[in-house]
Amino acid sequence: MGNVRTYTKKELRGYLVGMFGQNLIYNIVATGLYFYFQNVICLPAMALGWIMAIARVWDAVNDPMMGTIVDKTRTKWGKCRPYLIIFPAIIGVITILTFINGNYAAADSTTQKVLIVAWAAVSYIAWGMAFTVCDIPLWGITSLMTEDENDRSKILGLARIAAGVGGIGVLIVQVAQGLAGVFGGDMQKAFIVTAVIFTVIASVFFEFAGIFTREKVEKSEKRYTLKENFKIMFRNKPFRQILISGILRSPIQLLMIVAMTLVTYYYANGNIMNILVYNEDGSFAGIDFKILIGLGSVALGLFVGQFVSMGITPVLIKKIEKKKLYNFYSFVGAVPFVLIYVFFKIAGGDLTSTGWSVAVGICMLLASASFGGINVLQSVMIADCVDYEEYTNHVRTDGVFFSGQSFITKLSAGIATIVSSVVYEIVGYSGANVDAMNTAIYEQGASFITYNDGKYAAAMFFLISIPPAIGMILSALPTLKYALTDSQHKKILDELVSMRASENNGEEA
């Protein structure tokens, strides 16, 4: 194993900084833009659902297409790095454009409303296409940076942690609300300015992945058409199992999509700045600790659970079969999700007391730990599938296989958005009703918890609890009899390393 090639510390650091930047952008859109569409410019719930549905249908073709393009790329920089060097700035520009839109609630005519929805649809679909151009190479390059299985597990584990840290992109909501006062309470202007600042910073970090990484594993010279790549993907049984499992787990994305709206409205009554208390004369009186404990418990649980799990999962992989660990996370992770809704019903709809806030936070901690570990395992197992394909058919289709991961992520977000749109439509949390609710809360002192007989709050707690729990259980079914054991993969990887070393020695001779 002395001929094993792997990344340097500088390359690893550059990759992780780039991963952080990419996921900062992802969360600006996945959470921030969703909140902006729903609660600031008040798009109708079903319009959001249709936008996401159309985007996901296109992704079904676009992602494997991009994977095919990556695998056919031949440059002096490699097959993944060119996209990581060129496209971060392009993604940044499109990200900003998604926020530059009209206000549906304030539109005077049907034509204006149609144009606002159309701009939201076109800009979001364009963003998804641009994101795919970099997302597939960003994950695919991990299997090209090293031949060592432990190093690959390490970089994928650290990548998931860096991606998790990029989750601070969700704070665009809180920062925008804090800046709204600077713009005379104009929340839309505050969101646009915040989006520009966050996106520029994220794009700069994203560039590090292209600039500092290097590809160490040679590529197969054989090229495949898009149709052939689809066949490769679906004939590879372990990859097919992971793909189906990821799709079934789609409702888990509801946690990230709904959580920011939930904590902002449920715990802070619509504005994070309510955590600051002022006297009647305008002087600062202190912190509302009830809001602080509620927000802190949920936020810490959601993020700390992921980080801890992402950190220990690469260590656990060395001692526990990946399949067993993957299924354990899936089954056990469903329990805390269910408990969240059970607690909501037991508490009569009010979980804002210290005790209930801590209980919900613990559930969030355990739930987020489960899907954080699954995210690491998914990436590692897809990389294993790439080795399996090279060993079986003598071609490395990194781009195509990691396009599957990109597809899972975006399809999951799309399905979750459609589910939330349907539920919101049923309870009336849509369009003009959201605008009316904001007016009642901000100007008339209404409480979100009891507004509309508590139906909005109940819908949100349902969405972050029951569908994710069902998704977690279903996702374990395809992998109960996973087709690639760890011992089989180790044998495959050892033979691949020896084969590559022999080929390199032959070329040097």
Side-chain angles (χ1 to χ4, degrees):
M1 298 292 288
N3 294 318
V4 174
R5 292 162 292 178
T6 192
Y7 48 79
T8 65
K9 290 182 178 179
K10 180 179 178 181
E11 291 165 2
L12 175 61
R13 288 193 294 268
Y15 176 80
L16 295 177
V17 171
M19 178 63 71
F20 164 76
Q22 187 240 27
N23 278 270
L24 187 57
I25 289 179
Y26 178 79
N27 283 283
I28 289 170
V29 172
T31 301
L33 184 66
Y34 183 84
F35 185 96
Y36 177 76
F37 280 168
Q38 183 182 61
N39 301 294
V40 178
I41 65 173
C42 301
L43 293 182
M46 290 313 299
L48 266 177
W50 277 110
I51 289 171
M52 298 300 174
I54 293 170
R56 297 296 78 85
V57 169
W58 170 240
D59 283 339
V61 176
N62 184 46
D63 284 7
M65 185 185 299
M66 186 60 212
T68 301
I69 292 172
V70 169
D71 284 327
K72 289 185 176 182
T73 299
R74 301 290 183 267
T75 73
K76 63 180 180 181
W77 297 300
K79 67 178 183 180
C80 292
R81 286 186 65 220
Y83 303 100
L84 300 178
I85 293 171
I86 297 170
F87 276 88
I90 296 173
I91 294 173
V93 171
I94 297 176
T95 301
I96 292 170
L97 290 176
T98 61
F99 284 88
I100 300 176
N101 203 341
N103 191 318
Y104 188 91
D108 296 324
S109 67
T110 301
T111 300
Q112 286 181 320
K113 291 182 177 180
V114 169
L115 289 175
I116 290 169
V117 172
W119 181 264
V122 171
S123 61
Y124 179 76
I125 292 171
W127 177 86
M129 293 173 62
F131 190 82
T132 296
V133 173
C134 270
D135 189 50
I136 293 169
L138 184 64
W139 287 102
I141 199 172
T142 57
S143 62
L144 299 176
M145 290 174 65
T146 180
E147 295 178 313
D148 185 89
E149 183 176 14
N150 289 329
D151 281 349
R152 186 168 61 193
S153 295
K154 176 183 176 182
I155 193 173
L156 287 170
L158 291 173
R160 283 298 183 181
I161 294 175
V165 176
I168 64 172
V170 303
L171 295 179
I172 183 177
V173 175
Q174 283 74 27
V175 174
Q177 289 181 334
L179 284 178
V182 177
F183 298 97
D186 191 327
M187 194 68 72
Q188 186 173 9
K189 286 184 180 179
F191 258 89
I192 293 172
V193 171
T194 307
V196 171
I197 295 172
F198 270 50
T199 302
V200 169
I201 294 172
S203 299
V204 171
F205 284 137
F206 197 175
E207 284 285 356
F208 277 58
I211 295 172
F212 291 102
T213 56
R214 297 293 182 272
E215 297 182 14
K216 306 292 178 72
V217 178
E218 280 77 11
K219 312 167 290 291
S220 167
E221 293 302 320
K222 190 173 182 179
R223 303 183 184 188
Y224 290 93
T225 65
L226 178 62
K227 182 179 179 180
E228 289 172 330
N229 277 326
F230 268 110
K231 290 181 179 179
I232 289 172
M233 289 171 63
F234 288 100
R235 80 182 178 202
N236 188 304
K237 186 175 181 180
F239 178 76
R240 187 170 68 247
Q241 290 171 311
I242 291 295
L243 187 66
I244 295 172
S245 174
I247 293 172
L248 292 174
R249 196 172 52 252
S250 295
I252 195 72
Q253 293 291 335
L254 283 165
L255 191 59
M256 299 307 295
I257 290 174
V258 177
M260 193 53 59
T261 302
L262 176 65
V263 298
T264 301
Y265 280 93
Y266 189 82
Y267 289 102
N269 207 34
N271 194 326
I272 194 69
M273 299 308 292
N274 286 334
I275 199 171
L276 304 178
V277 180
Y278 294 90
N279 295 314
E280 292 183 3
D281 62 2
S283 59
F284 180 64
I287 301 292
D288 188 322
F289 284 98
K290 186 177 182 180
I291 294 178
L292 178 63
I293 293 171
L295 292 174
S297 297
V298 174
L300 286 175
L302 186 59
F303 290 104
V304 172
Q306 289 186 70
F307 294 151
V308 172
S309 181
M310 289 172 179
I312 66 173
T313 296
V315 178
L316 293 176
I317 287 174
K318 298 177 183 179
K319 302 177 181 180
I320 304 173
E321 181 85 12
K322 296 188 190 80
K323 178 190 74 173
K324 292 181 179 179
L325 192 57
Y326 185 94
N327 292 330
F328 173 81
Y329 280 140
S330 297
F331 283 123
V332 175
V335 177
F337 279 113
V338 171
L339 287 177
I340 291 173
Y341 194 65
V342 170
F343 290 163
F344 178 79
K345 300 299 287 186
I346 292 175
D350 190 350
L351 293 170
T352 57
S353 68
T354 298
W356 281 122
S357 293
V358 172
V360 172
I362 293 173
C363 287
M364 286 288 190
L365 179 76
L366 298 174
S368 66
S370 66
F371 72 75
I374 286 174
N375 284 339
V376 173
L377 284 162
Q378 177 180 278
S379 298
V380 173
M381 292 164 80
I382 288 177
D384 291 351
C385 292
V386 175
D387 292 331
Y388 177 86
E389 189 64 31
E390 181 181 6
Y391 178 78
T392 305
N393 296 302
H394 310 294
V395 61
R396 287 193 69 84
T397 51
D398 308 86
V400 170
F401 276 62
F402 276 97
S403 74
Q405 176 168 278
S406 178
F407 175 67
I408 290 171
T409 299
K410 291 192 289 186
L411 178 63
S412 296
I415 292 174
T417 302
I418 293 168
V419 171
S420 66
S421 297
V422 171
V423 172
Y424 284 149
E425 186 70 24
I426 291 172
V427 299
Y429 190 77
S430 175
N433 290 343
V434 176
D435 190 49
M437 180 195 71
N438 286 335
T439 300
I441 291 174
Y442 300 148
E443 300 179 13
Q444 300 165 17
S447 170
F448 174 77
I449 293 176
T450 58
Y451 187 85
N452 193 27
D453 297 325
K455 291 180 181 178
Y456 293 168
M460 291 181 188
F461 271 100
F462 170 80
L463 285 169
I464 67 166
S465 177
I466 304 304
I470 294 172
M472 291 290 278
I473 294 172
L474 291 178
S475 71
L477 301 182
T479 54
L480 287 176
K481 296 183 178 180
Y482 187 59
L484 182 60
T485 66
D486 286 359
S487 58
Q488 288 173 327
H489 177 253
K490 185 179 185 306
K491 179 181 178 181
I492 286 172
L493 195 59
D494 288 345
E495 292 189 25
L496 286 176
V497 171
S498 298
M499 179 181 67
R500 293 168 189 153
S502 298
E503 291 175 354
N504 289 334
N505 291 334
E507 290 176 2
E508 291 173 3

